[in-house]
């Protein structure tokens, strides 16, 4: 896949035929315009009198009315305000100069450093790599988290979900990955986050070395839905740029649920019928288009960790349920473990990496199965053990589980300032399994 699109294609999208219409009505951030036959996805400007033009995007049609969704508030708009098309296919400026920077959905820098010169432009809605050209995933990517590297080993180009309710430690888990991963480039998409958490995440989780190889794309919860959608797409486009340059990219997005909520807001405003929990059908077609863009390609890889915010810790949440079928594994963060001070709060029995058999040695897999079996035995008999109803010597397997449970928990727990490598995680796991 080429990094730079042809100059001819760029000129066609940047310099379209002049199309001008006028506003006839508004509803929320949705604008209805007449005499404006622009294609879906086109970028437009609403030329309010005495103020800056308001950027908007065409999201649909209804009879002879064109529907646009605004990127900002519509204060000052009135009936008859002029709408003018700017670009038929919006593109994002990208380049190596983005490393170390914090940008918004349009690639505009949000930090206090000089504006970078970016020579490449890529579409926001690029197509995923051809499935027949994707190489098999056969190389381990170290995340720096023992519980993942040892128990849920991830390969370069794998896509895995982190499922959790609010306040269970998703951001902390992502922060540990940014500090200790062996990926070449890190692209972080903070979608719909609280404004306070953005700077907190950057200063707490990105040291000087990690900052130099990272790009952070931000769209806070206070921004319009379209900005949140564009920010997620921009983060993936930036990751694809570095992948096409032969880099192994770690792509973190927090969270895809807020991306889906933004899509729902746009879809309902455009007149789509609601389905499960109010999500229109377009949401469940847009999410796979984003997820499938990650993975391994001929030149590099994008290893994606996608957080899913589960409402009320409901495992049957429609977004989470849809993503489990799309991803190559999932990590479940347990509120029960987090309340005990067990961090990262990864529940090994509820989590799985589907590519472990392809990238791990038989000895490693045997150790994982042995420890998983002990955890399962302990979980099945935890109530009896806790109340003292179980007597040592009754069942040798339960005795082993009780004896090794403290060592397993100590290995699964990890301080945020405690570095780890894949070799460290494997050695600790083999040592525990050897005691069985």
């Amino acid at each position: 896949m080429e990094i730079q699109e042809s100059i001819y294609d760029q000129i066609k999208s940047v310099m379209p035929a002049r199309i001008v219409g006028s506003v006839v009505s508004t509803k929320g951030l949705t604008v209805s315009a007449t005499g404006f036959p622009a294609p879906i996805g086109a970028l437009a400007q609403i030329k309010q009198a005495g103020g800056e033009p308001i950027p908007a995007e065409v999201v649909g049609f209804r009879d002879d009315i064109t529907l646009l969704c605004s990127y900002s508030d519509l204060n000052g708009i009135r009936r008859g305000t002029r709408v003018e098309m700017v670009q038929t296919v919006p593109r994002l400026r990208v380049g190596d100069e983005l490393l170390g920077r914090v940008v918004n959905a349009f690639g505009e820098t949000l930090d206090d450093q000089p504006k970078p010169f970016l020579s490449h432009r890529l579409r926001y809605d690029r197509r995923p790599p051809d499935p027949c050209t994707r190489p098999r995933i056969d190389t381990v990517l170290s995340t720096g988290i023992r519980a993942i590297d040892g128990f849920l080993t991830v390969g370069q180009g794998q896509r895995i979900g982190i499922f959790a309710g609010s306040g269970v430690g998703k951001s902390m888990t992502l922060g540990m990955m940014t500090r200790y991963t062996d990926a070449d480039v890190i692209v972080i998409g903070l979608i719909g986050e609280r404004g306070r958490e953005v700077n907190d995440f950057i200063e707490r989780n990105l040291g000087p070395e990690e900052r130099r190889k990272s790009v952070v794309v931000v769209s806070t919860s206070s921004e319009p839905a379209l900005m949140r959608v564009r920010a997620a797409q921009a983060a993936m486009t930036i990751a694809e740029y570095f992948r096409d340059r032969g880099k192994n990219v770690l792509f973190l997005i927090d969270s895809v649920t807020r991306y889906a909520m933004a899509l729902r807001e746009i879809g309902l405003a455009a007149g789509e019928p609601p389905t499960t929990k109010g999500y229109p059908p377009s949401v469940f077609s847009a999410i796979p288009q984003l997820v499938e863009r990650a993975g391994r390609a001929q030149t590099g890889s994008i290893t994606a960790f996608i957080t899913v915010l589960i409402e009320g810790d409901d495992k049957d949440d429609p977004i989470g349920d849809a993503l489990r079928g799309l991803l190559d594994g999932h990590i479940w963060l347990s509120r029960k473990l987090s309340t005990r001070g067990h961090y990262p709060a990864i529940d090994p029995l509820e989590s799985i990496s589907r590519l472990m058999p392809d990238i791990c040695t038989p000895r490693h897999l045997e150790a994982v199965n042995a420890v998983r079996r002990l955890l399962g035995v302990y979980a099945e008999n935890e109530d009896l053990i806790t109340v003292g109803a179980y007597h040592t010597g009754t069942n040798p397997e339960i005795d082993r589980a009780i004896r090794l449970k403290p060592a397993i928990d100590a290995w699964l727990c990890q301080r945020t300032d405690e570095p780890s490598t894949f070799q460290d995680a494997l050695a600790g796991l083999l040592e525990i399994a050897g005691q069985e």
Side-chain angles (χ1 to χ4, degrees):
M1 186 179 295
E2 295 182 357
I3 296 174
Q4 180 70 40
E5 296 175 343
S6 72
I7 298 296
Y8 178 68
D9 289 339
Q10 292 186 44
I11 291 174
K12 284 197 302 182
S13 66
V14 175
M15 301 177 63
R18 182 179 175 84
I19 299 178
V20 178
S22 60
V23 174
V24 292
S25 67
T26 64
K27 186 176 181 180
L29 293 178
T30 304
V31 176
S32 298
T34 186
F36 190 67
I40 290 179
L43 184 64
Q45 285 185 342
I46 304 173
K47 302 279 191 174
Q48 61 172 334
E52 292 291 327
I54 298 175
E57 182 179 319
V58 178
V59 296
F61 305 99
R62 187 179 299 133
D63 298 327
D64 59 344
I65 298 297
T66 300
L67 302 175
L68 300 97
C69 194
S70 170
Y71 281 101
S72 62
D73 293 333
L74 295 176
N75 294 332
I77 298 301
R78 60 178 176 80
R79 180 184 293 273
T81 299
R82 192 174 72 169
V83 181
E84 183 175 329
M85 189 167 73
V86 176
Q87 200 172 15
T88 55
V89 181
R91 283 176 166 79
L92 178 70
R93 293 177 179 268
V94 294
D96 292 351
E97 295 78 10
L98 285 175
L99 292 173
R101 307 304 299 270
V102 182
V103 300
N104 66 8
F106 295 120
E108 300 166 345
T109 55
L110 301 177
D111 48 33
D112 55 0
Q113 301 178 44
K115 183 179 179 179
F117 175 75
L118 305 172
S119 57
H120 300 287
R121 292 174 178 82
L122 295 177
R123 292 178 58 145
Y124 282 91
D125 58 344
R126 301 180 76 196
R127 296 180 60 84
D130 189 328
C132 294
T133 64
R134 289 181 184 254
R136 293 190 62 187
I137 296 173
D138 54 11
T139 305
V140 171
L141 176 78
S142 176
T143 64
I145 299 177
R146 281 196 300 265
I148 297 177
D149 289 345
F151 219 89
L152 304 163
T153 311
V154 174
Q156 291 179 0
Q158 187 169 348
R159 301 162 304 189
I160 196 160
I162 300 178
F163 294 73
S166 58
V168 183
K170 296 186 301 301
S171 298
M172 184 188 71
T173 303
L174 295 181
M176 293 176 69
M177 292 183 194
T178 61
R179 283 196 296 277
Y180 306 131
T181 183
D182 60 3
D184 301 323
V185 175
I186 305 170
V187 178
I188 306 164
L190 300 179
I191 312 302
E193 286 289 340
R194 295 181 291 273
R196 176 193 62 81
E197 290 189 340
V198 173
N199 201 45
D200 186 56
F201 181 92
I202 294 170
E203 293 188 356
R204 183 179 59 186
N205 297 315
L206 294 179
E209 184 176 348
E210 293 78 23
R211 182 74 179 267
R212 283 192 292 269
K213 67 174 185 178
S214 301
V215 183
V216 183
V217 183
V218 174
S219 179
T220 62
S221 58
S222 61
E223 294 182 326
L226 199 55
M227 288 289 284
R228 283 172 268 152
V229 171
R230 275 287 182 236
Q233 295 173 340
M236 181 60 77
T237 300
I238 293 170
E240 288 174 325
Y241 166 78
F242 287 106
R243 179 202 62 195
D244 294 344
R245 294 179 67 85
K247 304 294 185 181
N248 292 316
V249 181
L250 177 64
F251 176 75
L252 310 175
I253 182 169
D254 186 18
S255 70
V256 75
T257 305
R258 295 189 179 99
Y259 169 69
M261 290 178 176
L263 289 169
R264 176 173 63 183
E265 185 176 336
I266 296 169
L268 293 177
E272 283 192 74
T275 55
T276 308
K277 283 197 174 181
Y279 289 103
S282 63
V283 173
F284 298 99
S285 63
I287 290 177
Q289 292 173 16
L290 182 71
V291 171
E292 280 296 319
R293 291 167 64 179
R296 189 178 176 191
Q298 296 287 347
T299 52
S301 67
I302 300 175
T303 307
F305 282 86
I306 300 170
T307 68
V308 184
L309 182 61
I310 302 298
E311 297 181 8
D313 297 335
D314 180 13
K315 294 182 180 180
D316 296 323
D317 178 83
I319 299 301
D321 195 47
L323 278 163
R324 271 192 292 269
L326 295 172
L327 299 172
D328 306 316
H330 59 270
I331 298 171
W332 182 263
L333 299 187
S334 167
R335 191 174 299 277
K336 181 179 178 181
L337 291 176
S338 69
T339 55
R340 295 177 179 176
H342 180 120
Y343 287 104
I346 297 172
D347 187 342
L349 297 179
E350 294 286 345
S351 307
I352 188 172
S353 172
R354 296 178 180 173
L355 294 180
M356 277 195 72
D358 297 333
I359 58 178
C360 293
T361 64
R363 187 185 180 201
H364 185 173
L365 294 174
E366 289 173 5
V368 169
N369 291 333
V371 175
R372 187 184 292 272
R373 183 171 60 250
L374 291 175
L375 289 173
V377 169
Y378 189 92
E380 290 174 359
N381 299 276
E382 186 173 10
D383 291 341
L384 292 176
I385 297 170
T386 303
V387 302
Y390 175 76
H391 299 287
T392 303
T394 304
N395 186 313
E397 195 169 23
I398 299 177
D399 292 341
R400 285 195 298 272
I402 295 173
R403 177 170 54 87
L404 291 177
K405 186 65 163 56
I408 296 173
D409 286 344
W411 178 78
L412 289 173
C413 290
Q414 185 177 345
R415 300 191 314 272
T416 57
D417 60 348
E418 181 184 357
S420 175
T421 64
F422 175 74
Q423 290 73 22
D424 295 336
L426 181 57
L429 180 67
L430 293 175
E431 182 180 353
I432 293 171
Q435 299 176 28
E436 189 188 2

